[in-house]
Amino acid sequence: MSEVVSLAGIPFNRYTLFKLFKYTVYCLLAYNVYAFFVDNHAAAGTVFADGVSLGKIIEAYNDSIDTLAWVVLLLVFELETSLLSDDRIKGGTKWLLNAISAICYVFIVYSFYGYVSEMVSLTHLLPVTGTACELANSGGWSMVLEQDEYTALTAANCGSLADLHLLRLADAQVLGDAAVWREIQWLAWVDVINAGAWLLVVAILAFDVWLQLRHQLSDSIMRYSQVIKGLLYFTLLLCAIYWGINGSFLDFWDAFLWLVAFFFIEMNLFEWQAETSAE
């Protein structure tokens, strides 16, 4: 018999507490959609001073769109690997889940393109003509502080850029110290690596689910899958650690939550496969 604890007078066993923890993580990830939107919206106002065109939406709001698609896809995996029985993942339900997954994959791949585009745009940095204070007097310029964080370039802060090697974006009036741009470029590369690794994880996981629904996910295939995904998860952990040291807390926190969330999905798949093998 599992140990039972009491929470506000309501009895909870360990499995119930585990589910509560799992769905709390899912809710925190859903909240991160809003948090990333706030950050993206603030940055878009500077980088896209003339307004965000339809073709630039994915680049301007890449993090929030990407996170939203991932949250929906996570819920689909939770339904497939835990909440729905094999008998229910048929017919219209199966087609609906596949359609939702397909839409999510489109946005996720498009977001990956957005990360690559952002990384490429950061390679097109140009030398700054004139001093920072001269540009501040002309108006319309911004100064980069860190990735996706900018402030207006004014006569009050332009002196902080004196005697620095200044570079600017090729397609926007944004300048900054070459060392700061170099850090941002590294973070952009980590974004690309992280997004690419997650694409491979979900591709393998979707293949595992496809085999499991056909009762063809053998122990040997499961082991190979776990080894490959283990290497990918390790890569994702390194990205999270890098963000924790050199990036923003939101990026680190989001990456950590996603690793925890997909650990739950992996547990669901392991239990599902074990139950099928025992039949």
Side-chain angles (χ1 to χ4, degrees):
M1 179 180 293
S2 61
E3 181 181 350
V4 177
V5 298
S6 178
L7 184 62
I10 303 173
F12 278 79
N13 57 34
R14 289 179 176 176
Y15 180 68
T16 302
L17 290 173
F18 170 77
K19 289 180 66 176
L20 180 62
F21 174 63
K22 176 168 70 171
Y23 293 124
T24 298
V25 171
Y26 291 176
C27 289
L28 289 173
L29 286 170
Y31 173 78
N32 282 357
V33 177
Y34 168 75
F36 276 120
F37 175 80
V38 172
D39 280 359
N40 289 164
H41 187 68
T46 299
V47 178
F48 304 96
D50 297 330
V52 182
S53 64
L54 185 62
K56 292 291 185 177
I57 287 179
I58 190 64
E59 186 175 343
Y61 295 95
N62 199 28
D63 295 325
S64 47
I65 292 173
D66 185 41
T67 304
L68 176 60
W70 275 105
V71 168
V72 175
L73 186 61
L74 175 68
L75 296 179
V76 171
F77 276 129
E78 179 68 16
L79 287 169
E80 291 178 331
T81 62
S82 179
L83 297 180
L84 296 179
S85 64
D86 293 7
D87 293 337
R88 295 189 62 184
I89 309 178
K90 294 180 179 179
T93 301
K94 177 182 177 181
W95 283 105
L96 177 61
L97 292 176
N98 288 343
I100 294 173
S101 297
I103 294 172
C104 291
Y105 288 133
V106 168
F107 280 105
I108 289 169
V109 172
Y110 197 21
S111 292
F112 176 72
Y113 164 76
Y115 287 121
V116 174
S117 296
E118 182 179 1
M119 183 269 295
V120 170
S121 70
L122 289 170
T123 63
H124 297 161
L125 297 175
L126 303 175
V128 173
T129 303
T131 67
C133 289
E134 289 173 346
L135 295 176
N137 293 331
S138 67
W141 283 83
S142 297
M143 177 174 59
V144 63
L145 303 177
E146 56 186 55
Q147 189 181 41
D148 296 331
E149 187 173 341
Y150 309 88
T151 188
L153 184 65
T154 65
N157 61 25
C158 66
S160 64
L161 298 177
D163 301 323
L164 296 178
H165 181 204
L166 299 180
L167 298 173
R168 53 159 295 188
L169 289 175
D171 55 355
Q173 289 185 301
V174 180
L175 58 80
D177 180 25
V180 174
W181 283 122
R182 186 160 51 250
E183 292 177 1
I184 294 174
Q185 287 173 338
W186 277 107
L187 288 168
W189 269 107
V190 174
D191 285 340
V192 171
I193 294 170
N194 180 77
W198 274 119
L199 279 176
L200 292 175
V201 166
V202 295
I204 297 171
L205 189 56
F207 183 65
D208 289 342
V209 171
W210 182 79
L211 288 176
Q212 178 61 21
L213 287 171
R214 287 156 179 76
H215 302 287
Q216 297 175 355
L217 185 58
S218 65
D219 291 340
S220 59
I221 294 177
M222 190 75 169
R223 283 194 296 271
Y224 285 123
S225 174
Q226 288 174 335
V227 168
I228 297 173
K229 284 185 292 185
L231 293 173
L232 292 171
Y233 284 131
F234 180 70
T235 300
L236 293 166
L237 177 61
L238 292 179
C239 290
I241 293 172
Y242 186 86
W243 280 320
I245 297 173
N246 298 296
S248 69
F249 174 77
L250 179 58
D251 285 332
F252 166 76
W253 178 240
D254 183 69
F256 172 74
L257 288 178
W258 278 112
L259 286 171
V260 174
F262 270 81
F263 171 75
F264 294 142
I265 298 297
E266 294 291 348
M267 288 184 64
N268 291 345
L269 183 62
F270 179 79
E271 292 176 3
W272 185 18
Q273 196 266 346
E275 290 173 0
T276 302
S277 300
E279 293 176 358

